[in-house]
Amino acid sequence: MPNLSFKLKKGLEETGRLVRYHELKKISKKIPSIILTGHHCKDYTESIFLHLTRGGGKKSFYTLPPFDGERFLPLVFLEDQELNELYQFVSANMRIFEDESNGDPIYKRNRIRMELIPILEREKWNFFKTYWNFHDRSQLNLQFDGFSNQSQSYAPHLFRIPHDTWVSLNLSAKKELIDFHLKLMGMYPLYKSGFENFHLQSEGERAFLENKNCYLYKSKFGDLFIIDKKSPAFKKAISNREGQILVIEWNQNRFKINDPDMKYSLGSWHHGQKIQIRSGNKEISECMRENGVPFFLRSYIPILYFENEPIQILFSLFSKNEKNYPKRIYLER
């Protein structure tokens, strides 16, 4: 463990936690299950101050969600008095094994627990209420449903919701729409604060939200994208030849073109590149933007090259409903 801690440039305590969760995650994949931990609302308050002392921002208050798709925290549902009663019962009836490092003041978390938490208790700090001020209890059933969907053989990796649909809905309906599609992807709903921040951004030029499992993206007049981080769209396109046919594969779609002279090839977008269209040349980045492709996916979109020059953006591999651009290939002679 000390060697791994040195290699990861993390403390022994954090390294041990990473190793434990790594092993538990391997078990939960072999045997369909979720991981339960003993974190409670006092632990949450410790974590808040720990993150803040390290320069954390508002995200510090949303740490330790009741269920993150893998780990469930049952004790956060106990109010402060109930938690104390449970601890007294367990202490009187069971042997508790205490990690010897928990009393070592060399660790900042221990100093917070031993010095700050007692002050908050004397000031009647409500740990339970503080926790639920920043977490949403109503998400639990949907989150568990989402977890069960993960075991299904297929779940979509990407949804594209039309701009007209988005602007026609009120605030609560917009969140329901996003949560419904996340559920179809086997994910849990957005927290209220995250959704409200995304919605506020959507009133400007661009809205972007990233969480543990997915990305949400919407340009001002463009469609809303919900994209799983495990989507095949985040893998590089590949090409091969079937006789005189060049085959390009990406995002579980295929493109074929007759290429007896082997002059076509697969490429990708680079800053400043232009592509030939009927009226002249056009920035590829502008083509991507007009087609509504999220900025974080643009470098993955396959481009057909002819003699090392980009000639067609293969939007059809991003979505079968899309047309490649330009529709007609213009070749320099």
Side-chain angles (χ1 to χ4, degrees):
M1 193 66 69
N3 291 336
L4 180 59
S5 174
F6 179 78
K7 184 177 181 180
L8 296 177
K9 297 182 180 180
K10 297 182 182 294
L12 279 173
E13 190 178 43
E14 185 176 0
T15 302
R17 180 181 63 82
L18 292 172
V19 171
R20 286 197 305 274
Y21 283 134
H22 177 72
E23 294 302 316
L24 288 171
K25 190 172 181 179
K26 288 198 298 185
I27 294 172
S28 66
K29 284 185 176 180
K30 291 181 181 178
I31 306 171
S33 57
I34 59 174
I35 300 168
L36 272 65
T37 72
H39 293 96
H40 45 70
C41 296
K42 284 187 180 180
D43 290 328
Y44 165 74
T45 300
E46 290 176 11
S47 296
I48 289 176
F49 286 103
L50 184 64
H51 290 313
L52 292 177
T53 60
R54 292 172 174 172
K58 62 182 180 181
K59 287 185 179 180
S60 303
F61 294 93
Y62 300 99
T63 188
L64 291 180
F67 184 60
D68 66 0
E70 296 176 352
R71 296 189 292 272
F72 175 53
L73 282 56
L75 297 186
V76 297
F77 295 90
L78 296 180
E79 296 196 24
D80 296 352
Q81 183 59 35
E82 294 174 322
L83 183 65
N84 291 335
E85 291 173 357
L86 176 63
Y87 182 78
Q88 292 172 10
F89 174 80
V90 172
S91 300
N93 295 276
M94 302 178 186
R95 184 180 177 187
I96 298 177
F97 294 88
E98 186 79 17
D99 188 328
E100 61 183 18
S101 69
N102 284 348
D104 191 340
I106 193 174
Y107 298 112
K108 183 183 292 187
R109 180 181 287 276
N110 291 347
R111 296 196 298 273
I112 292 173
R113 181 185 302 124
M114 294 186 292
E115 300 173 18
L116 178 59
I117 296 301
I119 295 175
L120 297 178
E121 289 176 324
R122 290 196 296 271
E123 296 297 329
K124 307 302 182 184
W125 181 286
N126 191 319
F127 298 94
F128 177 82
K129 184 177 180 180
T130 302
Y131 180 88
W132 288 107
N133 280 340
F134 297 98
H135 297 89
D136 189 352
R137 184 194 300 258
S138 66
Q139 294 183 353
L140 258 296
N141 289 336
L142 285 174
Q143 288 180 331
F144 279 118
D145 290 343
F147 178 81
S148 63
N149 286 344
Q150 291 177 358
S151 62
Q152 295 178 358
S153 58
Y154 171 77
H157 291 284
L158 186 150
F159 284 107
R160 185 170 185 170
I161 300 168
H163 170 74
D164 291 343
T165 299
W166 174 258
V167 297
S168 69
L169 301 175
N170 61 32
L171 190 66
S172 61
K174 287 177 178 177
K175 186 175 189 307
E176 290 177 4
L177 178 71
I178 292 175
D179 290 345
F180 171 75
H181 285 87
L182 289 174
K183 184 178 179 181
L184 292 178
M185 298 171 82
M187 299 177 189
Y188 48 92
L190 291 181
Y191 281 107
K192 184 179 179 181
S193 59
F195 166 74
E196 290 177 345
N197 181 43
F198 180 79
H199 185 263
L200 183 63
Q201 291 182 53
S202 71
E203 296 175 353
E205 291 300 316
R206 185 175 76 179
F208 175 69
L209 174 67
E210 175 185 1
N211 64 23
K212 181 179 179 181
N213 298 304
C214 68
Y215 297 102
L216 269 69
Y217 174 83
K218 187 184 184 307
S219 58
K220 188 170 186 177
F221 300 108
D223 297 340
L224 167 65
F225 289 88
I226 305 175
I227 307 175
D228 183 357
K229 284 188 173 180
K230 297 180 181 178
S231 169
F234 291 110
K235 296 182 178 179
K236 292 291 185 182
I238 59 173
S239 64
N240 60 76
R241 296 187 180 274
E242 297 177 357
Q244 296 185 347
I245 305 294
L246 174 67
V247 180
I248 296 175
E249 298 180 69
W250 180 68
N251 195 32
Q252 298 179 333
N253 294 316
R254 305 181 92 206
F255 169 86
K256 296 182 179 181
I257 188 168
N258 190 39
D259 186 23
D261 299 324
M262 301 182 69
K263 292 187 177 182
Y264 291 101
S265 61
L266 165 66
S268 59
W269 166 69
H270 303 288
H271 286 283
Q273 269 189 326
K274 294 185 178 182
I275 195 167
Q276 186 179 359
I277 58 175
R278 175 179 291 180
S279 58
N281 294 317
K282 188 173 183 178
E283 289 273 358
I284 292 180
S285 58
E286 180 67 11
C287 302
M288 298 275 195
R289 187 189 64 79
E290 289 179 354
N291 207 64
V293 177
F295 67 92
F296 51 86
L297 271 177
R298 292 174 187 173
S299 63
Y300 293 94
I301 301 290
I303 296 177
L304 182 66
Y305 278 64
F306 180 81
E307 294 184 338
N308 298 319
E309 291 294 329
I311 59 169
Q312 192 172 54
I313 307 169
L314 303 182
F315 288 128
S316 63
L317 297 183
F318 181 48
S319 171
K320 292 182 179 179
N321 296 324
E322 299 292 329
K323 301 295 184 182
N324 295 329
Y325 185 86
K327 294 180 182 180
R328 178 183 173 186
I329 297 175
Y330 299 93
L331 302 177
E332 292 284 357
R333 297 298 181 187

